[in-house]
Amino acid sequence: MKNILFPLVTIVAVLLFSCSNNDNEPTPTSKAAISGSVILYDEGTTLLDKSNMNVKVLETTPLIQTTTTTEGKFVLPEVPFGTYTLEYSKAGFGSYKKTGVVHGTNGQATAISTIPSLGQLSTTTVTNVTAAVLNNQVKLSITTNPAGNTANRRYVRYFLSTSSQVSATNYTYFSAVFVAQINPFEKTITQTELLSAGFTSGQQVYVRAYGDSFWDNAYDDPAISKRIFPNLNGTTVAATSFVVP
């Protein structure tokens, strides 16, 4: 009888020990924090207070969001692991989005190392745009209000398309941000630049210009395969056109 009881007691002890160990094992985590920081500017290059910028994790329910500290830092707590888009917004600033944020690699928190420099909305309006072709080049002239000068630099950007409805959301080509320190601001577009942008000689191209900020808060939207320009001043004039030399 003793020989029978001993194996049974041993088996029960092993099972109890195994269950006890399983109970003590930590449950794998499925959430962690996302942290980062921002640097804020006016529409030029002057640093501003970095606090109170709202940062939210889009498409979370309930919405996970927080605000930046005076140092521009933020922590979004308890974010389920996944891939997200973060939206940064503050009154007076164009909203910026950081897409494709992969969170939870190796089951750990995510620290965003890239620090975005974000600017305020542009107060520069465009009041006139002309385009003249001369010697295989297009001379673009953009008049702004306020007028740009060395003491009050303004920033402009233009968009090109074969559509007369060219705009900041309907374009084939967009320029860099240019510093306007004279009014009107003038930019020469070469034939080579136009051909490289996908246009052809003899084609009618429309141009529209906007006031912008030095830090433009621009980002790529994969949903529409377009670059978005949140800081543009929408007050501008109708598009003008030229024929590609």
Side-chain angles (χ1 to χ4, degrees):
M1 184 70 176
K2 289 182 180 180
N3 290 338
I4 296 174
L5 289 174
F6 180 76
L8 289 174
V9 171
T10 303
I11 292 170
V12 171
V14 169
L15 289 174
L16 289 173
F17 180 77
S18 175
C19 291
S20 176
N21 278 351
N22 287 339
D23 290 342
N24 292 331
E25 288 180 1
T27 302
T29 183
S30 61
K31 299 179 181 180
I34 297 177
S35 62
S37 57
V38 298
I39 303 174
L40 303 184
Y41 293 85
D42 65 2
E43 63 184 290
T45 57
T46 301
L47 283 166
L48 297 179
D49 175 23
K50 302 174 187 175
S51 66
N52 295 319
M53 171 155 275
N54 181 262
V55 184
K56 63 183 69 173
V57 186
L58 297 184
E59 298 183 0
T60 53
T61 305
L63 184 65
I64 300 172
Q65 59 184 327
T66 189
T67 55
T68 55
T69 66
T70 54
E71 292 80 25
K73 297 179 180 180
F74 66 87
V75 177
L76 295 152
E78 296 296 301
V79 182
F81 295 151
T83 300
Y84 295 101
T85 295
L86 302 187
E87 182 182 75
Y88 303 65
S89 59
K90 184 177 180 178
F93 290 75
S95 294
Y96 167 75
K97 292 182 180 180
K98 184 174 181 62
T99 61
V101 177
V102 179
H103 172 51
T105 303
N106 299 322
Q108 298 179 356
T110 300
I112 300 174
S113 57
T114 304
I115 303 175
S117 294
L118 304 177
Q120 289 186 315
L121 294 163
S122 174
T123 60
T124 303
T125 63
V126 171
T127 58
N128 190 52
V129 177
T130 62
V133 178
L134 181 65
N135 297 327
N136 284 336
Q137 296 180 331
V138 177
K139 184 177 180 180
L140 192 62
S141 178
I142 303 172
T143 304
T144 67
N145 181 31
N149 54 59
T150 54
N152 183 26
R153 295 191 297 178
R154 297 280 115 184
Y155 304 91
V156 294
R157 185 193 297 273
Y158 63 84
F159 297 81
L160 303 178
S161 174
T162 55
S163 169
S164 61
Q165 302 303 310
V166 60
S167 69
T169 57
N170 179 33
Y171 60 84
T172 301
Y173 170 88
F174 61 85
S175 74
V177 171
F178 294 105
V179 182
Q181 298 186 90
I182 189 172
N183 212 31
F185 166 76
E186 294 184 346
K187 173 69 172 69
T188 298
I189 311 174
T190 67
Q191 182 189 52
T192 300
E193 289 174 325
L194 291 167
L195 297 180
S196 297
F199 302 108
T200 59
S201 294
Q203 197 170 38
Q204 186 171 24
V205 171
Y206 294 84
V207 54
R208 198 169 193 188
Y210 298 84
D212 206 345
S213 302
F214 181 85
W215 298 104
D216 56 22
N217 300 8
Y219 63 90
D220 294 318
D221 187 339
I224 58 175
S225 299
K226 287 283 188 179
R227 192 155 181 81
I228 306 299
F229 303 91
N231 285 355
L232 296 178
N233 188 319
T235 303
T236 186
V237 292
T240 189
S241 69
F242 60 87
V243 175
V244 179

